[in-house]
Amino acid sequence: GYMVLPPELVEPFLRAKQLTDRHTASLDQAVFAHLIRDGHFERHIRRTRRRNQHRRDVLVAALKAAFGPAVAIEGAKAGLHLVVRFRDIPAALAGSVAEAAALRSVGIVPAETGMAGTEGGAGFLMGYAAVEEPDIRQGVALLREVVQSFRRGGVA
């Protein structure tokens, strides 16, 4: 990395860097340069993109199969997370739903911390990059049980 600084801050930043980091890791830089030069890094990026796209597709398909039109899926075109909004669960219950899901080892995070913009139902951030395909399907099945308990008015 590098920084563009006003002239009066160059010297203080150089001193701070010397105190925290004597030198840049030359071996790491040389290895990475080799990976880039020989095309290994580009192949790794392509392979990772394909794997993540497949995982995203599996998650979207599983959510649609489990919940149908009761969910709205946002952000399915890029990134490593989706926002999934459950139209029939009040946004005020998002924290409780996330806690109940966690008890079943399903990690979801409420998408909003306040009430603004939550009229579409409870929204959750769901990551998929570090989850294998069978675990995605199992997690959605477990989440379906949680969501059904909240639809019945109870708490899971």
Side-chain angles (χ1 to χ4, degrees):
Y2 66 92
M3 296 178 77
V4 177
L5 299 167
E8 65 272 10
L9 292 179
V10 171
E11 190 59 38
F13 271 79
L14 284 173
R15 283 195 305 271
K17 183 179 181 333
Q18 288 174 342
L19 289 173
T20 60
D21 179 11
R22 285 286 184 202
H23 60 85
T24 303
S26 303
L27 181 60
D28 292 349
Q29 286 186 344
V31 168
F32 193 56
H34 172 77
L35 290 173
I36 291 171
R37 183 187 65 237
D38 292 350
H40 301 296
F41 185 65
E42 188 175 336
R43 282 191 295 281
H44 166 73
I45 294 297
R46 278 196 307 268
R47 191 171 46 249
T48 300
R49 281 183 181 151
R50 280 193 304 269
R51 183 184 65 232
N52 287 332
Q53 180 177 358
H54 178 71
R55 289 175 179 174
R56 178 180 60 238
D57 293 347
V58 167
L59 178 57
V60 169
L63 288 166
K64 286 181 178 180
F67 301 105
V71 296
I73 299 170
E74 305 165 11
K77 299 292 184 196
L80 301 174
H81 296 83
L82 301 175
V83 174
V84 179
R85 192 164 306 285
F86 291 86
R87 294 181 172 114
D88 54 354
I89 295 181
L93 293 179
S96 298
V97 172
E99 289 173 11
L103 292 174
R104 290 177 171 82
S105 299
V106 177
I108 58 175
V109 178
E112 298 91 11
T113 55
M115 295 307 291
T118 59
E119 51 279 340
F124 301 92
L125 188 64
M126 297 183 186
Y128 51 83
V131 186
E132 297 295 332
E133 182 179 328
D135 296 328
I136 291 171
R137 288 193 177 101
Q138 181 182 11
V140 171
L142 292 169
L143 180 60
R144 187 168 189 266
E145 295 172 11
V146 171
V147 168
Q148 285 176 333
S149 73
F150 278 87
R151 285 179 179 155
R152 290 190 299 267
V155 176

